Amino acid sequence: MSSFTSSPISSPAGPPDSPSAPVPPDATDEAPAPAAPARRAGTPTAVRRPAHRRRTFLSGTAVAGGALAATAAGIGPATAVATARADAPAAGPAVTVRPSDRRYADLRRGTNQRWVGSPDRIVLATSTGDVVRAVQQAVDSGHRPAVRSGGHCYEDFTTSEEIAVVLDLSRMDDISYDEHRRAFSVQPGAALGRVYDRLYKGWGVYLPAGNCPTVAAGGHIQGGGYGSMSRRDGLAVDHLYGIEIVVVQADGVARAVIATREPDDPHRELWWAHTGGGGGNFGVVTRYWLRSHDAKGDDPTAQLPTPPREVWLSEVAWPWEQLTEARFSRLMWNHGEWHTHHSAPDSPYTALFSQLKPFHKSNGAVVLDSLVDAGAPGAERMLQNYISEVGAGLGIQPQVRQYRRVPWLHATQWPGFTGPDPTVRFKGKSVYARRTYTDAQIAAAHHHLTRDDFHNPSALLMIASYGGAVNRVASADTAVPQRDSVLKYQVVSLWNDAADDDANIAWVRECYRDMFAATGGVPVPNETNDGCFVNYADVDLGDPRWNTSGVPWHDLYYKNGYRRLQKAKATWDPTGLFRHAQSIRPA
């Protein structure tokens, strides 16, 4: 398990107010760029361009479980951005790693060991200026870039063979408070565990984001990140005030711009596109500003929600040896019905979150991990009632593996919801559910979870509580359109050896296909399903072998919002410099 330590955090630099200007590439990319000279707070990153010539998720198993001045688009000059706090220590220059470097073997991959890239270079940036230079180099040399923050991508979006330059943002992990914007500044490389630690120790606040402490803010937030407190306080993007992003428009010049949710911000659509539009689509986000919509005054402690002081944690399990098909069906039906009736925004049960994990029978059990805000009225009884209702009518008592009360910050590292392991291979396929599972879905899940021709204790359905405050936001207010769901889950398998790839990928695909056979093998939005989660990327959604519904992958992720995202793409990345297998196409 990771641990995080606090360090003094000081005020950020003042707001920049100068028009943007391009930043040139280095004369050569054979060596890291020299450290930039010190600048006053608010001084923009701006120099001339030369004329010459780019999760683990589990408990109960060992391997358990981111402007251009746009004259053609009719957009005025963008605002350039200061790249560091005036009183922050220098992070040092960017580091460029090439195949001959001993670090290359580690840095060519993320946490999913299925994917290993072969880029010409990996640039470990430490500032927005570094990113601008690296992007400009990629443009000028005709090389295709990809962006990586924490490396938790499900697919090969940062490792495909077409990618020549990987922009690694993991060293950009500053977390501070911006007095001018009355918002917390979080850089994309900051892991969620670090975000929770710094925000809480520094100001007593938090962001209702994901459960895996090693996932970085970079792709997580802009994909619409959710976690164990989202039923109480909404999604991470529901607290996104603004972004700093490096973009390249039609004239091929890389620039850093700021976009906020302010109604009069001319770049507001670019902000909106990052409230669920997915990572790697429009440019390179180098900073997030976080402030809740209802925040008032200048007090930093009032700009984001306050987390619980303590939480109750519980883990119970029903052994497969006692679960007949009828009992399994009853368990699933109970679970789905409970969430159908207890996931409204005003439900007292928004204080409760859980993951139901029906593992393959070779694991030995179906596990229910739960958390409840200990400060909610009747919290402990609420938790006990929930467990009783999920197991009602089974005729068997669950095994109690854990039951304890712990401080909230410690609970963010609890392996019941995540056991970060960067050494495994995995494949996952996602679902938003508007109501309980259908009988056909339960039957298909049971069939694949009890197959005798497949054995993996780390193959499962991972079913998360959803809804609550998430559903208080209108569908079009952010780029996350699924705002009336009660469950979010995935069919997923994790394994160690490449020799087992085919069997595990086939099991995931077949289980998912059969669960949604009535809608073409995918969860087409209807009265029961509501599409897929962009942060659980799944290229099979665009493959007619696995999606026979006629509904394109982008409508499963974005629904009607895809056309709006395409317009943003056409404005900010009209050449499609930032692209991958499921990137947004310009309108």
Side-chain angles (χ1 to χ4, degrees):
M1 293 174 60
S2 303
S3 61
F4 301 87
T5 58
S6 64
S7 60
I9 302 173
S10 49
S11 299
D17 56 6
S18 302
S20 64
V23 175
D26 298 329
T28 174
D29 59 11
E30 291 302 318
R39 296 182 292 108
R40 291 184 306 152
T43 304
T45 301
V47 288
R48 291 183 306 112
R49 177 191 179 197
H52 64 274
R53 298 234 347 134
R54 159 171 209 267
R55 160 162 280 156
T56 277
F57 325 98
L58 318 177
S59 176
T61 176
V63 296
L68 175 61
T71 51
I75 296 173
T79 302
V81 183
T83 61
R85 303 195 318 264
D87 52 359
V95 172
T96 298
V97 173
R98 293 185 176 278
S100 60
D101 192 302
R102 62 181 298 172
R103 295 167 290 184
Y104 185 82
D106 275 328
L107 299 179
R108 67 193 291 201
R109 68 187 75 205
T111 61
N112 188 346
Q113 295 300 306
R114 288 176 60 204
W115 309 120
V116 181
S118 55
D120 294 339
R121 61 187 182 273
I122 301 162
V123 180
L124 289 96
T126 64
S127 70
T128 299
D130 287 345
V131 174
V132 172
R133 283 185 286 273
V135 170
Q136 192 66 66
Q137 287 175 356
V139 172
D140 292 343
S141 61
H143 289 163
R144 178 173 162 188
V147 187
R148 182 177 66 208
S149 299
H152 284 70
C153 189
Y154 277 44
E155 297 286 2
D156 69 342
F157 295 172
T158 64
T159 57
S160 69
E161 61 183 12
E162 296 86 4
I163 293 167
V165 182
V166 173
L167 303 179
D168 187 306
L169 309 182
S170 59
R171 297 175 71 197
M172 297 178 63
D173 61 356
D174 179 68
I175 299 162
S176 57
Y177 183 68
D178 184 329
E179 294 179 355
H180 171 70
R181 292 185 174 83
R182 295 191 299 113
F184 290 94
S185 168
V186 175
Q187 289 188 307
L192 296 182
R194 178 180 172 88
V195 173
Y196 298 143
D197 181 87
R198 290 297 186 91
L199 291 179
Y200 188 62
K201 290 179 179 177
W203 299 274
V205 299
Y206 89 120
L207 179 70
N211 293 323
C212 183
T214 62
V215 168
H220 178 76
I221 292 177
Q222 60 190 286
Y226 80 105
S228 58
M229 299 308 298
S230 289
R231 282 167 57 88
R232 194 189 81 157
D233 292 323
L235 302 178
V237 292
D238 298 339
H239 304 269
L240 180 62
Y241 173 75
I243 60 169
E244 171 187 85
I245 181 173
V246 175
V247 296
V248 179
Q249 292 184 280
D251 69 353
V253 179
R255 282 186 173 88
V257 302
I258 291 174
T260 74
R261 67 178 182 229
E262 295 293 345
D264 60 350
D265 188 331
H267 306 144
R268 192 177 191 278
E269 280 298 288
L270 183 59
W271 162 83
W272 181 88
H274 286 82
T275 62
N281 273 314
F282 306 96
V284 185
V285 173
T286 54
R287 190 177 305 274
Y288 295 102
W289 282 280
L290 305 171
R291 171 163 41 100
S292 300
H293 280 270
D294 58 355
K296 302 184 186 306
D298 299 323
D299 183 355
T301 66
Q303 305 309 314
L304 284 175
T306 301
R309 291 186 177 182
E310 295 181 310
V311 297
W312 283 100
L313 300 177
S314 166
E315 179 173 289
V316 300
W318 291 270
W320 265 114
E321 62 187 14
Q322 298 180 46
L323 286 176
T324 62
E325 182 171 3
R327 283 174 169 170
F328 175 82
S329 298
R330 177 62 182 264
L331 177 67
M332 293 289 288
W333 187 88
N334 288 346
H335 182 261
E337 281 292 299
W338 187 94
H339 284 85
T340 300
H341 297 294
H342 295 286
S343 298
D346 59 352
S347 169
Y349 280 93
T350 58
L352 185 147
F353 172 86
S354 81
Q355 288 178 353
L356 178 66
K357 289 175 280 199
F359 288 92
H360 185 269
K361 70 176 183 179
S362 57
N363 178 280
V366 173
V367 176
L368 181 67
D369 288 319
S370 305
L371 172 152
V372 66
D373 176 357
E380 187 175 10
R381 179 174 296 180
M382 189 184 301
L383 176 59
Q384 293 171 348
N385 288 344
Y386 169 67
I387 296 169
S388 295
E389 290 184 42
V390 172
L394 270 65
I396 54 176
Q397 289 296 315
Q399 301 169 348
V400 178
R401 296 181 174 179
Q402 292 190 54
Y403 185 79
R404 54 203 171 104
R405 182 170 176 158
V406 300
W408 169 79
L409 188 60
H410 289 75
T412 63
Q413 302 285 329
W414 186 48
F417 291 143
T418 177
D421 183 347
T423 69
V424 300
R425 310 166 77 84
F426 63 87
K427 169 71 177 177
K429 301 169 77 69
S430 68
V431 184
Y432 283 99
R434 285 175 158 155
R435 46 155 296 188
T436 190
Y437 328 94
T438 67
D439 291 341
Q441 288 169 352
I442 294 173
H446 181 268
H447 167 69
H448 288 282
L449 291 168
T450 58
R451 280 171 50 178
D452 291 321
D453 62 340
F454 175 79
H455 301 271
N456 183 355
S458 298
L460 73 155
L461 273 60
M462 190 177 71
I463 308 169
S465 302
Y466 205 65
V470 174
N471 294 347
R472 188 177 290 126
V473 177
S475 180
D477 284 356
T478 67
V480 178
Q482 294 89 356
R483 294 290 186 165
D484 62 356
S485 297
V486 302
L487 292 165
K488 179 187 278 189
Y489 62 99
Q490 56 183 315
V491 179
V492 63
S493 188
L494 303 96
W495 63 98
N496 292 320
D497 297 328
D500 297 327
D501 283 3
D502 290 347
N504 281 277
I505 294 170
W507 181 87
V508 171
R509 285 172 166 168
E510 292 163 7
C511 181
Y512 190 81
R513 176 200 63 197
D514 293 351
M515 287 184 68
F516 300 99
T519 52
V522 294
V524 173
N526 57 21
E527 66 281 0
T528 300
N529 314 313
D530 204 19
C532 305
F533 180 35
V534 67
N535 273 0
Y536 297 160
D538 176 19
V539 296
D540 292 346
L541 298 177
D543 188 334
R545 293 174 299 173
W546 302 106
N547 177 2
T548 61
S549 69
V551 177
W553 62 265
H554 47 75
D555 286 357
L556 293 171
Y557 288 139
Y558 306 117
K559 300 170 71 171
N560 293 335
Y562 183 65
R563 283 68 185 167
R564 187 173 172 183
L565 290 168
Q566 285 186 292
K567 292 179 180 179
K569 179 76 168 179
T571 299
W572 296 103
D573 183 26
T575 67
L577 174 68
F578 298 100
R579 65 188 187 275
H580 51 71
Q582 288 186 329
S583 57
I584 292 164
R585 278 48 168 177

